[in-house]
Amino acid sequence: MCPERAHSAFPDAEEDAHSAARTVATPQTESPSYRLAFQDPDFLVREELRPVRLQLELLKPELALKEQQIISTIVVFGSARIPAPEVAAKVLAAAEADLRDRPDDPLLQARVEQARRLVDRSRYYDAARRFSQLASEAGQRTPEKDFVIVTGGGPGIMEAANRGADDMGAESIGLNIVLPFEQAPNRYITPALSFQFHYFAIRKMHFLLRAAALACFPGGFGTMDELFEVLTLIQTRKITPIPVILFGEQWWRKIINFDAMVEEGVIAPEDVGIFQYVESAEEAWAAIRDFYR
């Protein structure tokens, strides 16, 4: 009768770890040099161990996603600074109240104008939430899950997308990263699928390893970095083409002049066909559904 896994005469790492914990305390065993290498945090964070840390950071989420039977994902990028409409409305109300007390204050005038823009952009929060609801409802009907929403794990548009999956009782992924300022994972991510990264490069790779589509909302440097990474990989045929959906044509055309890039000859005319603009969650989901029909 064949065993389920290959037999080894050697103890596994877990068994050795338990044995090491029972070691009698002596000056020799108390020395850091005596620690098992995989149990020595000071050793693991040495500069020379960077290749090992890169490998571990690639492997840990990969094993977890396989265990959860996640077959494909839909990546959602967008600003951490676009709140839910009700939050944006409160910010505007507070700014207007302050301006009424000091109507000639130029800083308060600018603050009100920014708050009004925030209210306008908050519609993208609702769109991201609704889009995630549609994708999650369609893709998570069997134990093997398709179209699982994956975000950067933070607030704003990321929160909205994870929230939409949670609305449907579906799983979603958050790929957070250690930053100089605090960035806690939003509360709508499935806890077992909430990951933290040190390396941006490995995090970006995990965004795309199972990606069936990308939905990109207005955002700043981080959003642009992530979007152009995907556009470049598709353009250079480093990844199989996937639907790339940009929410809000007017916003994107204001921020990035793709047509000028074609005119200047720095991209080919067909490169602008890598992506398409949409204005609603339903339009975005229809584009993805038609792509795979």
Side-chain angles (χ1 to χ4, degrees):
M1 185 175 182
C2 294
E4 291 186 3
R5 62 179 180 175
H7 173 72
S8 173
F10 294 99
D12 62 26
E14 187 175 2
E15 291 169 338
D16 269 351
H18 286 308
S19 296
R22 296 194 297 268
T23 301
V24 176
T26 69
Q28 291 73 30
T29 63
E30 291 295 302
S31 170
S33 65
Y34 196 73
R35 296 172 188 160
L36 288 167
F38 63 82
Q39 286 191 310
D40 187 346
D42 295 327
F43 173 68
L44 290 175
V45 298
R46 286 180 59 142
E47 182 67 22
E48 298 89 341
L49 269 289
R50 178 174 292 177
V52 175
R53 294 194 299 273
L54 283 163
Q55 186 175 10
L56 290 173
E57 197 153 283
L58 179 64
L59 188 59
K60 182 180 178 180
E62 174 66 14
L63 293 176
L65 296 179
K66 282 185 176 179
E67 289 168 359
Q68 294 295 321
Q69 297 183 277
I70 293 174
I71 305 301
S72 68
T73 59
I74 292 182
V75 185
V76 178
F77 293 146
S79 176
R81 303 182 185 187
I82 296 179
E86 60 271 20
V87 175
K90 290 180 181 178
V91 172
L92 176 59
E96 289 176 334
D98 290 340
L99 184 62
R100 281 194 294 271
D101 293 335
R102 288 179 288 168
D104 297 325
D105 188 324
L107 293 178
L108 288 179
Q109 292 170 357
R111 183 178 153 203
V112 167
E113 181 58 32
Q114 290 173 350
R116 286 172 180 162
R117 287 177 177 271
L118 193 67
V119 168
D120 178 64
R121 289 196 303 273
S122 69
R123 71 184 188 275
Y124 292 117
Y125 184 102
D126 282 345
R129 183 177 178 181
R130 176 58 182 155
F131 172 75
S132 181
Q133 291 171 352
L134 294 170
S136 300
E137 183 180 27
Q140 297 194 40
R141 297 174 177 173
T142 64
E144 291 188 334
K145 307 171 190 72
D146 278 308
F147 301 136
V148 178
I149 294 296
V150 55
T151 78
I157 293 298
M158 296 172 280
E159 175 191 284
N162 291 122
R163 185 176 181 180
D166 187 68
D167 291 337
M168 309 307 294
E171 294 182 353
S172 71
I173 304 165
L175 306 182
N176 217 301
I177 190 159
V178 178
L179 296 173
F181 44 89
E182 181 182 1
Q183 177 168 299
N186 70 68
R187 62 192 176 96
Y188 299 104
I189 304 165
T190 302
L193 299 175
S194 181
F195 304 101
Q196 184 172 212
F197 290 83
H198 174 70
Y199 297 105
F200 267 107
I202 301 299
R203 179 176 178 251
K204 283 200 226 177
M205 183 173 287
H206 272 292
F207 275 127
L208 295 178
L209 282 174
R210 290 172 170 78
L214 164 64
C216 197
F217 291 80
F221 288 164
T223 300
M224 298 300 168
D225 173 50
E226 292 159 343
L227 170 63
F228 275 90
E229 172 104 354
V230 177
L231 295 179
T232 301
L233 291 172
I234 294 175
Q235 180 199 48
T236 57
R237 306 294 192 268
K238 283 292 186 179
I239 63 172
T240 302
I242 60 173
V244 176
I245 311 296
L246 305 184
F247 274 78
E249 181 174 0
Q250 183 179 6
W251 190 90
W252 285 103
R253 289 192 180 277
K254 176 183 177 182
I255 300 299
I256 304 172
N257 193 335
F258 289 107
D259 293 333
M261 295 174 76
V262 174
E263 291 173 5
E264 293 295 326
V266 293
I267 64 173
E270 59 268 23
D271 289 336
V272 295
I274 294 174
F275 58 87
Q276 66 185 98
Y277 301 108
V278 301
E279 302 302 328
S280 70
E282 288 76 12
E283 186 182 356
W285 178 242
I288 294 170
R289 186 186 59 217
D290 292 345
F291 183 91
Y292 288 105
R293 178 168 290 163

